[in-house]
Amino acid sequence: MARVSRWSAVTGALAALLALSVAVSSQDRFPDGPGKADVMKVCSGCHDAEIILANLKTPGEWNETLQNMAAQGAEATPEQWKLIEQYIDVHFAMVMVNKAPADEIQLALDVTPEAAAALVKYRQDKGPFKTIDDVKKVPGIDAAKVDAATSRLVF
């Protein structure tokens, strides 16, 4: 009987450890920053927050998704919704660099309105961007922010 009890305890401990490691690895895929805790709390109320990683969307599409979540009953304060949207825009929203309006570029690259407008003007004056290096040539664009968003840039 003691063996069964010990086996149950070991099995339970391993299951708890596995669950904890899955939760930690999930959070590791989410960069630290304002809004991360709100994403984990609010989004995980209905589904795994990892679903964000599986959906490529523009800032406008994420805004619509978050509005739909709120309409379907996801609970968050207006400030939490704002932080969630900003967090997703900066870390996960895709940027259609040759089509996106300045406001979407500003959100997704976390740049000033002037830098986003400069990117749009540059693209209008010189034609579509072809590479990451082309985007970095835009006056006022922070190359580090472009590098951080490389996986989300669509040409």
Side-chain angles (χ1 to χ4, degrees), residues 16-17 19-20 22-23 27 31 33 39 41 49 63 86 91 96 98 115 117 122 126 128 132 138 147:
L17 185 59
L20 178 62
V22 168
Q27 288 191 352
V39 166
K41 178 182 177 189
N63 176 278
Q86 289 171 344
H91 297 289
M96 311 275 292
N98 289 315
Y122 191 94
K126 303 200 185 267
I132 299 295
V138 176
D147 287 338

Side-chain angles (χ1 to χ4, degrees), residues 80-130:
Q80 285 175 309
W81 284 121
K82 181 179 175 185
L83 285 170
I84 290 167
E85 183 173 9
Q86 289 171 344
Y87 180 83
I88 290 173
D89 287 345
V90 169
H91 297 289
F92 301 108
M94 68 179 184
V95 185
M96 311 275 292
V97 292
N98 289 315
K99 296 179 182 178
D103 61 334
E104 282 195 7
I105 292 167
Q106 179 187 351
L107 292 170
L109 292 182
D110 192 27
V111 297
T112 65
E114 295 78 19
L119 192 143
V120 170
K121 181 164 179 16
Y122 191 94
R123 146 181 109 199
Q124 290 169 342
D125 293 347
K126 303 200 185 267
F129 296 102
K130 292 181 177 48

